Amino acid sequence: MLLRRITEHVKAQNWFAVFLDFVIVVVGVFIGIQVSNWNDARALREREQVYLEQLLIDLESDRATGARGVASANMIDEAAEDLLAVLEGAVGAEKISDGELMRIVPSAGYAYLPQGNPTTYNEMISTGALGLLERVELKRAFGEYYGRLSAGRQWDSLMREEQFAYRAAIRGLLTREQFAWARAHAALAPEALPPPPAFDRAAFLEEARSRPEIVDSLRSMGAVQQRLRDDSRDMAARAEALAALVKAEIE
C-alpha cells in the first residue's frame, strides 16, 4: 500500500509527499530494527540470569563443601590425637573406651578432599555462553576462582598416598566385624555409641605398638589435615564472596 502511494506521488511529481513517505519508511525500518535489537538484548539478559542463578547454586555447594572440609579435618585430627595418646600411653588415655578406640582407628588417617563444583562454568565455556556475562569484572572473578580450585588439585595424589599409607599400616588390626561397626558409627559422639563387638584391648595395643609406621603415618597426616583445612576454609570464603557478587548482579 505504501509503495503504491509513493508511485502515485512520483507520477504526480509531489516531491514533498515522496520525501514524507521515504521518511516514514526509514523510521519504520529503524524502529523495527531497534525492537528486534531490544528483544535480542532482553533474551540475552534472561539467559545470563539463568546462568547466574545456576552458578549461584554451584557456589553455595562449594561453600557447604568447604565448611564440611573444615569440620572433617578437625574431627579426623581429634581422632588421630586420641589414637596417638592411646598408643603412646599418654595420661588420661585410659578413659577412651574400647568402642571409641575401635571407632577412631579407621577414621584417624582419612583424608577428605574438598572438590569444587564447576559444572555450570565448564558448560558455559564449552558452549561459548561465558560471553553472556555482561560485567567483565564478574567474568574475571569466576576465571580466578575456578582457576584457583583447579590449581589446588595438584596435591591430591600426595595426600591420597598419605591416606593409603595409613590404611596399609592398620591393615588387620580390626576384624571385619569391628571395622564394619567402626565405619557404621564413625560420625557418632562417644556417648552415643552402641555396644561394640568383642574387643581385646591388650592384644590390639600389643599389635598396634609393634607397628611404628602407624604413629609415623598419624603424625604425617597432621600436615595433610592442616592443608585440607586451609584449602577448605579458603574455598568456602571465596565461594561466599563470589556468591555475594552474583547476588548483587542478579538483584
Side-chain angles (χ1 to χ4, degrees):
M1 183 177 179
L2 184 59
L3 181 60
R4 186 168 63 248
R5 283 177 51 195
I6 294 175
T7 302
E8 291 173 353
H9 291 153
V10 170
K11 289 179 179 179
Q13 296 187 351
N14 187 349
W15 304 119
F16 177 77
V18 171
F19 174 76
L20 189 60
D21 290 338
F22 178 76
V23 170
I24 292 173
V25 171
V26 171
V27 171
V29 171
F30 175 77
I31 292 175
I33 292 174
Q34 284 299 106
V35 169
S36 178
N37 289 340
W38 290 333
N39 287 336
D40 290 344
R42 184 178 64 180
L44 289 176
R45 296 289 70 79
E46 288 175 352
R47 287 186 62 199
E48 181 191 28
Q49 289 288 306
V50 170
Y51 274 115
L52 286 175
E53 290 170 359
Q54 293 176 348
L55 287 166
L56 195 57
I57 293 173
D58 290 351
L59 289 172
E60 173 55 29
S61 172
D62 289 355
R63 188 204 61 75
T65 297
R68 188 162 53 249
V70 173
S72 175
N74 291 338
M75 182 183 69
I76 295 168
D77 258 349
E78 183 178 348
E81 289 295 332
D82 286 347
L83 183 54
L84 280 171
V86 171
L87 294 180
E88 296 177 339
V91 176
E94 68 280 356
K95 296 179 181 179
I96 298 175
S97 68
D98 289 352
E100 175 64 2
L101 177 57
M102 194 184 308
R103 184 187 71 84
I104 64 178
V105 170
S107 59
Y110 180 70
Y112 174 78
L113 306 183
Q115 301 284 340
N117 181 13
T119 303
T120 302
Y121 185 74
N122 288 344
E123 176 188 331
M124 293 178 73
I125 291 178
S126 63
T127 61
L130 196 60
L132 291 172
L133 298 185
E134 196 171 28
R135 284 185 56 196
V136 176
E137 298 85 355
L138 190 59
K139 189 186 302 184
R140 184 180 298 115
F142 272 109
E144 292 174 354
Y145 173 78
Y146 285 109
R148 188 178 182 88
L149 287 187
S150 177
R153 302 275 62 83
Q154 63 180 314
W155 304 106
D156 285 2
S157 60
L158 293 177
M159 289 186 282
R160 287 296 190 198
E161 287 177 7
E162 293 286 353
Q163 178 176 274
F164 296 152
Y166 176 77
R167 289 293 187 193
I170 65 169
R171 184 177 293 122
L173 274 181
L174 299 179
T175 66
R176 290 174 62 88
E177 182 185 10
Q178 292 167 347
F179 188 84
W181 181 91
R183 290 300 303 271
H185 304 99
L188 293 182
E191 60 274 11
L193 289 173
F199 181 69
D200 188 335
R201 190 182 184 108
F204 169 85
L205 290 177
E206 181 180 2
E207 177 60 28
R209 286 168 177 166
S210 71
R211 305 181 188 185
E213 62 271 21
I214 295 179
V215 171
D216 291 343
S217 183
L218 287 172
R219 296 197 182 284
S220 180
M221 283 297 292
V224 171
Q225 298 303 336
Q226 186 58 50
R227 174 60 189 252
L228 293 175
R229 185 183 294 108
D230 292 342
D231 286 351
S232 297
R233 189 177 289 116
D234 181 71
M235 183 171 75
R238 288 177 178 276
E240 186 172 2
L242 186 51
L245 294 178
V246 174
K247 289 177 182 177
E249 187 70 13
I250 291 176
E251 296 170 358

